[in-house]
Amino acid sequence: MKTSTPLGTKLIALALGIMMVVPAVAVLAMVLILAFSSAVLAGGPGWKSTAKQGTATITPLSDAEKEALTFLREEEKLAHDVYVVLAAKWGTRVFSNISASEQRHTDAIATLLDRYGVADPADGKAAGVYENADLQKLYNDLVAKGSVSAAEAFKVGKLIEETDIADLDKRIARTKATDVLAVYKNLRAGSVNHLAAFNRQISGAVGPGAGQGAGMGAGAGAGAARGNGRGAGGGMGRRGGRAR
């Protein structure tokens, strides 16, 4: 009884025969088969994958939006630099804490500048040095004013945050890029918190241990009892201290 050869076996035998006779055709056939298999595994019609690639199209910024980014980059840097100087001058924790936050703010703007290919005016600049002449003068004036007393330093902090909020409000109203808007709104929320912190220092309405340095209650540090003087920080100090 004669048995039939399976179709698959016949096709394999035929392919081997072709490969032996015409090697170039065999190679081409294998390439086409592999390419088709890759397309099928990718799950797309034809040979193109329909899977989302996760890439986003970046819409170029207007000149006004670019100017806003460069200005805010230096303005946030100014806030950081002033607070670092005043923290060293008066030893107050509020300046140390907020200066760290301002560093994150200016870094966030730097990320946007890089994303949109805008030159960074703060790149390579030392603390207290700015490309914008108005900001340079403002930095000098604020450091001088804040160095007079701790009370004046807190007023400087309040002025910086009020200015930042006003400038951010202007930029938010003129910006359409969603990623830029998200950063601006985050920075504004931070400035609102910073402003509240400085207002508490100015009014003396800070919690135990929150204020440190000259002019706060009984003096520097967290002592065993609350000082009986009312200073700019209102912190905890040695018993019987006097506000400056």
Side-chain angles (χ1 to χ4, degrees), residues 62-76:
S62 66
D63 290 341
E65 289 172 322
K66 292 177 182 179
E67 182 279 331
L69 281 178
T70 57
F71 178 82
L72 290 173
R73 164 67 161 149
E74 288 203 298
E75 186 177 59
E76 296 293 341

Side-chain angles (χ1 to χ4, degrees), residues 83 138 142 145 153-165 195 198 202:
Y83 295 158
L138 181 61
L142 292 176
K145 182 178 180 180
F154 295 139
K155 292 178 183 178
V156 164
K158 177 179 179 178
L159 175 62
I160 288 175
E161 300 304 333
E162 288 176 338
T163 303
D164 283 357
I165 292 171
L195 177 59
F198 285 124
I202 292 170

Side-chain angles (χ1 to χ4, degrees), residues 27-110:
V27 172
L28 178 60
M30 291 299 294
V31 170
L32 292 175
I33 290 171
L34 290 173
F36 180 77
S37 299
S38 298
V40 171
L41 290 174
W47 291 3
K48 294 182 181 180
S49 171
T50 57
K52 294 182 179 179
Q53 301 300 315
T55 56
T57 301
I58 297 179
T59 303
L61 299 178
S62 66
D63 290 341
E65 289 172 322
K66 292 177 182 179
E67 182 279 331
L69 281 178
T70 57
F71 178 82
L72 290 173
R73 164 67 161 149
E74 288 203 298
E75 186 177 59
E76 296 293 341
K77 177 180 181 293
L78 178 148
H80 167 268
D81 295 348
V82 171
Y83 295 158
V84 168
V85 172
L86 298 182
K89 176 72 175 180
W90 303 112
T92 47
R93 184 166 42 183
V94 65
F95 286 121
S96 299
N97 291 344
I98 296 180
S99 67
S101 178
E102 296 294 350
Q103 183 62 60
R104 292 190 291 272
H105 286 191
T106 191
D107 288 345
I109 297 295

Side-chain angles (χ1 to χ4, degrees), residues 2 7 22 80 84 111 133 182 188 192 196 204 238:
K2 187 177 180 180
L7 179 60
V22 190
H80 167 268
V84 168
T111 298
R188 189 187 188 284
V192 169
R238 294 183 297 275

